[in-house]
Amino acid sequence: MTTLTDRPHTALLVIDVQNGVVAGAPRRDQVIANINTLLAKARLEDVPVIWVQHSDDGLVRGSDDWQLVPELARRDAEPLVHKEYGDSFEATELEELLAARKVGRLVVTGAQSDACIRATIHGGFVRGYDVTLVSDAHTTEDLTEYGAPAPEQVIAHTNLYWQWQSAPGRTGVTAETAKVTFGG
């Protein structure tokens, strides 16, 4: 139902699953296992997989914290988008990669639920994509010392509000890993 014409395909986005980003995050191992399940399914169905890797002053490119977690194996043919902003579309080649693959629907996984995940799902949505957030394949860090809710509440709230997103010609929904389909 995407508003992007002639873009019938779906892509799996794996956002910022980096050592320093998910260290200590709730359900870290479960989230990574769920992403691995989705990777296997996407690859089996020949669905494009696009990886996103963040860097900034606190997450220095090339550092151990910046590296993708070792439990996830990116294939050479799967594009890696380097970003410096929360929204994976901002100042990156993500849109061009998706357009070249005729992608109009995104299946989103990764970290941080309340930062880069939220920015990217909204960024894709306003750009005309249908966006599925995989409810059990994203996580975030504990920022309660700064007044944020507990991480599990942040994750639950992100899932809650995203499941009913709609706008002319597109939708935002959530799905558990086991219920994700890439066929449309």
Side-chain angles (χ1 to χ4, degrees):
M1 189 164 125
T2 176
T3 63
L4 302 170
T5 58
D6 299 321
R7 290 200 177 178
H9 302 299
T10 299
L12 175 63
L13 296 185
V14 182
I15 300 172
D16 301 349
V17 189
Q18 297 164 250
N19 291 325
V21 177
V22 298
R27 302 181 301 114
R28 176 201 182 276
D29 294 342
Q30 177 191 0
V31 165
I32 291 171
N34 289 342
I35 294 171
N36 265 321
T37 297
L38 292 163
L39 285 168
K41 184 174 184 172
R43 290 167 176 162
L44 183 68
E45 296 180 25
D46 202 26
V47 169
V49 175
I50 300 179
W51 298 76
V52 180
Q53 191 172 24
H54 190 82
S55 62
D56 58 29
D57 291 342
L59 194 61
V60 178
R61 189 182 286 233
S63 68
D64 286 340
D65 282 348
W66 176 81
Q67 300 299 325
L68 298 172
V69 297
E71 298 95 329
L72 297 176
R74 181 182 147 263
R75 293 185 177 168
D76 290 339
E78 296 168 346
L80 176 60
V81 173
H82 293 282
K83 70 178 180 65
E84 296 178 356
Y85 300 98
D87 182 348
S88 299
F89 288 91
E90 290 295 331
T92 72
E93 69 279 10
L94 179 57
E95 171 56 30
E96 291 80 12
L97 291 167
L98 295 169
R101 289 156 179 79
K102 297 187 179 202
V103 170
R105 177 175 169 251
L106 307 175
V107 174
V108 178
T109 68
Q112 306 269 15
S113 304
D114 50 344
C116 297
I117 294 296
R118 185 174 288 182
T120 300
I121 61 179
H122 285 278
F125 192 70
V126 300
R127 287 173 174 87
Y129 292 88
D130 287 327
V131 181
T132 299
L133 175 61
V134 185
S135 61
D136 57 356
H138 67 96
T139 190
T140 196
E141 68 185 317
D142 186 343
L143 296 174
T144 54
E145 69 180 276
Y146 301 103
E152 289 292 354
Q153 291 175 314
V154 170
I155 294 163
H157 180 255
T158 304
N159 289 334
L160 175 70
Y161 86 79
W162 195 253
Q163 68 184 330
W164 293 299
Q165 292 298 311
S166 66
R170 61 202 183 277
T171 58
V173 298
T174 61
E176 294 175 351
T177 297
K179 295 181 180 177
V180 168
T181 60
F182 291 112

